[in-house]
Amino acid sequence: MRRVQRRILTCGLIIILTACGGSSGGQPQEPEPGDDECQTCDWNIEQWKLTLPVSRDDFYGTGGDSAAELIPADCSGKQRLSNETELDYFWVDHHDERMYFQVNLGDEGATTTNSSYVRSELRELYNYQTENRCSSSNQNWQFANQHSLSGTLNIEQYPQISGIDPKVIVGQIHGYQIKQALIKLQWDGPNKPVRAIFNDTFLPNNQSCDHCQSFSVSLGTVDANNTWSYDIVADQQAVTINTHINGTTQSQRLAWGEPVLANDGNYYTLDPSWLQERYYFKAGIYPQIKPDTSYQNQIFTVYFDQIAINHE
């Protein structure tokens, strides 16, 4: 896998992740020799941990075959996620200051609990300023207020495997210790609509659920190498998803307990019991294709100009 020279720069401690050129609309400037600080970058990864598409054994030399993680704290047995992190799976390019996520589907890879797929993905640490970041048990929010995740991104490279759509999840709301995700925003390739995929209900404690039904709604089609954005907003009234593609905004609002027409022509209802659970946001890339050695150099590379979360 080709690697480029990378440097991560930071300015300030805020909850918005945005590239140097992303907020102003101008072209990023080439750093001057010896310039160690970007004056307009707002990248801050203090409130996230990063899941990698490789095992703990492969990354750390010990720990088992589940996916390795980097956390922005000194946690036993884990490498610290910081502004200096530079990997094949995650980096910030020093030319454009964009945050990149990459997965090679030809690598053996490693998965997390309840998944058959690998990922290079950030997981929100909601109470990162006050709680122990080495544990996820206290890093989740509830539906007392409004919560939103926004991303501006570009699918720079994607696998082209005969008979398989290049599906990749780029944003999520996930329940704590719940196998069924509340919502996953998925890009299915340049010729199919972006979809918001929901589960109508769930079972706690990571249980499998025979009666839970997944369904999807469409939110516009976007080609690769085309910058677009999304917003996922959840509160006690509804979950709302917006996409902004080529100057056009598409929106879907799903109120709790009210039927919604899905892509398959059937009506589904989001169970209001979801409102009693705890949640976290995820952003990055979570390909929906199982790795295989025959897929060597079939790669997802996605960069974000901005990742922003807000809790009102």
Side-chain angles (χ1 to χ4, degrees), residues 105 159-167 188 288-290 295:
L105 294 174
Q160 300 185 47
I161 304 170
S162 177
I164 298 178
D165 289 337
K167 301 177 180 180
D188 285 337
Q288 300 297 285
I289 304 171
K290 290 184 180 180
Y295 298 157

Side-chain angles (χ1 to χ4, degrees), residues 122-198:
L122 296 170
R123 192 271 200 206
E124 179 191 13
L125 304 176
Y126 176 60
N127 291 312
Y128 76 101
Q129 291 180 311
T130 58
E131 301 290 341
N132 177 12
R133 285 173 287 182
C134 298
S135 170
S136 298
S137 61
N138 295 316
Q139 297 294 340
N140 312 291
W141 45 265
Q142 295 178 292
F143 273 107
N145 304 298
Q146 185 180 89
H147 310 272
S148 65
L149 167 68
S150 300
T152 301
L153 68 152
N154 188 302
I155 312 293
E156 188 176 70
Q157 182 179 5
Y158 65 92
Q160 300 185 47
I161 304 170
S162 177
I164 298 178
D165 289 337
K167 301 177 180 180
V168 60
I169 292 167
V170 295
Q172 296 191 59
I173 298 179
H174 212 290
Y176 178 62
Q177 293 188 337
I178 295 175
K179 187 172 184 177
Q180 303 80 32
L182 172 57
I183 175 176
K184 299 179 288 188
L185 189 67
Q186 182 169 294
W187 186 79
D188 285 337
N191 300 313
K192 294 189 176 182
V194 175
R195 292 186 296 145
I197 303 172
F198 291 85

Side-chain angles (χ1 to χ4, degrees), residues 242-298:
N242 305 309
T243 58
H244 314 281
I245 299 170
N246 296 326
T248 299
T249 297
Q250 295 201 31
S251 181
Q252 295 277 358
R253 182 180 186 273
L254 289 78
W256 303 105
E258 295 184 11
V260 60
L261 180 62
N263 286 341
D264 63 3
N266 296 316
Y267 283 87
Y268 297 86
T269 303
L270 284 180
D271 187 347
S273 296
W274 282 112
L275 292 168
Q276 308 305 314
E277 300 303 313
R278 294 182 292 160
Y279 297 90
Y280 51 90
F281 287 121
K282 305 193 83 173
I285 60 171
Y286 180 26
Q288 300 297 285
I289 304 171
K290 290 184 180 180
D292 191 288
T293 54
S294 66
Y295 298 157
Q296 193 57 235
N297 297 319
Q298 295 289 345

Side-chain angles (χ1 to χ4, degrees), residues 35-217:
D35 181 10
D36 292 326
E37 184 176 3
C38 173
Q39 299 302 315
T40 57
C41 295
D42 290 325
W43 288 114
N44 167 45
I45 53 177
E46 287 295 303
Q47 65 177 156
W48 304 90
K49 70 176 180 178
L50 176 67
T51 304
L52 301 177
V54 292
S55 71
R56 296 175 184 176
D57 281 345
D58 288 340
F59 193 77
Y60 292 113
T62 185
D65 59 3
S66 61
E69 293 181 339
L70 278 66
I71 298 178
D74 293 321
C75 301
S76 177
K78 292 183 173 66
Q79 180 176 319
R80 184 168 182 170
L81 177 64
S82 75
N83 290 319
E84 305 305 319
T85 299
E86 182 181 334
L87 304 169
D88 282 331
Y89 330 105
F90 173 87
W91 71 93
V92 177
D93 190 271
H94 78 280
H95 292 292
D96 54 33
E97 303 304 336
R98 289 164 171 157
M99 183 175 282
Y100 284 77
F101 299 84
Q102 184 163 278
V103 169
N104 186 340
L105 294 174
D107 293 342
E108 182 176 348
T111 65
T112 56
T113 303
N114 301 323
S115 176
S116 300
Y117 306 113
V118 299
R119 67 186 83 204
S120 175
E121 188 179 40
L122 296 170
R123 192 271 200 206
E124 179 191 13
L125 304 176
Y126 176 60
N127 291 312
Y128 76 101
Q129 291 180 311
T130 58
E131 301 290 341
N132 177 12
R133 285 173 287 182
C134 298
S135 170
S136 298
S137 61
N138 295 316
Q139 297 294 340
N140 312 291
W141 45 265
Q142 295 178 292
F143 273 107
N145 304 298
Q146 185 180 89
H147 310 272
S148 65
L149 167 68
S150 300
T152 301
L153 68 152
N154 188 302
I155 312 293
E156 188 176 70
Q157 182 179 5
Y158 65 92
Q160 300 185 47
I161 304 170
S162 177
I164 298 178
D165 289 337
K167 301 177 180 180
V168 60
I169 292 167
V170 295
Q172 296 191 59
I173 298 179
H174 212 290
Y176 178 62
Q177 293 188 337
I178 295 175
K179 187 172 184 177
Q180 303 80 32
L182 172 57
I183 175 176
K184 299 179 288 188
L185 189 67
Q186 182 169 294
W187 186 79
D188 285 337
N191 300 313
K192 294 189 176 182
V194 175
R195 292 186 296 145
I197 303 172
F198 291 85
N199 279 287
D200 65 344
T201 190
F202 65 95
L203 286 177
N205 301 318
N206 285 322
Q207 296 181 73
S208 297
C209 180
D210 292 335
H211 66 275
C212 299
Q213 300 181 89
S214 63
F215 64 95
S216 66
V217 294

